[in-house]
Amino acid sequence: MKTIKRILPVLLVMFMAQVVMANDTAPKVIEMDGTNQMKFTVTNIEAQPGQKITVKLTTISDFPKTAMAHNFVLLAADADVTAVARASAKASGNEYIPTDADMKDQIIAYTGLAGGGETVEVTFTAPEESGDYEYICSFPGHYMGGMKGVLTVK
């Protein structure tokens, strides 16, 4: 019985340490919708440098996926957003994610396309450098229609 009394506090401390470590590595979850009005319902995300983030995007639409689908594409701080959007429009065979070598370094993370009622998600690590990182929907015309937001790392 004395052994159990001595071991119990040690086991409790070890368990609490594991709980704290598990919470530190759990990603911050952002749930957002993409609408027929070509808008994200979340247009600003805040993160700490190196923080894990999961973005879950659900498309709210009755249109067929070929006519109205959304994705989440997080861009590098120095990305040419318009150039990425234009290259994306030509990448229908790759869910509107450009495959050009010069575009790959401009994209940090992205989801697949979600049609009406579908949810897609991506987990990524926020950049280490503080700043604003734009995210867009790369389905043709959606970025130009205003479907964008900003991840602010500070």
Side-chain angles (χ1 to χ4, degrees):
M1 189 64 130
K2 287 184 182 182
T3 304
I4 291 175
K5 286 184 179 180
R6 289 182 191 163
I7 293 174
L8 192 58
V10 173
L11 292 174
L12 184 59
V13 168
M14 289 173 59
F15 173 75
M16 293 302 291
Q18 287 180 343
V19 168
V20 168
M21 287 190 316
N23 286 339
D24 285 346
T25 61
K28 176 179 183 175
V29 177
I30 306 297
E31 295 186 16
M32 66 174 72
D33 295 334
T35 68
N36 283 341
Q37 292 74 35
M38 295 184 286
K39 302 289 182 201
F40 289 117
T41 57
V42 175
T43 57
N44 194 343
I45 301 170
E46 292 187 4
Q48 298 173 355
Q51 183 177 18
K52 278 192 168 189
I53 300 172
T54 297
V55 171
K56 294 182 178 182
L57 171 65
T58 301
T59 295
I60 308 299
S61 179
D62 291 328
F63 292 112
K65 189 173 184 176
T66 55
M68 182 65 69
H70 301 301
N71 62 6
F72 171 92
V73 182
L74 177 64
L75 303 174
D78 60 350
D80 181 340
V81 184
T82 302
V84 172
R86 286 185 181 142
S88 297
K90 299 173 187 171
S92 62
N94 196 43
E95 295 196 307
Y96 300 107
I97 301 298
T99 57
D100 307 2
D102 59 333
M103 289 292 149
K104 288 189 178 198
D105 64 341
Q106 295 194 46
I107 297 173
I108 295 172
Y110 61 90
T111 66
L113 286 173
E118 296 177 336
T119 300
V120 290
E121 68 179 73
V122 63
T123 299
F124 60 93
T125 302
E128 292 292 337
E129 189 173 324
S130 295
D132 290 333
Y133 298 81
E134 195 161 4
Y135 58 88
I136 66 170
C137 174
S138 66
F139 194 88
H142 288 200
Y143 165 70
M144 298 299 188
M147 196 161 189
K148 60 185 176 178
V150 175
L151 167 69
T152 301
V153 177
K154 57 181 177 175

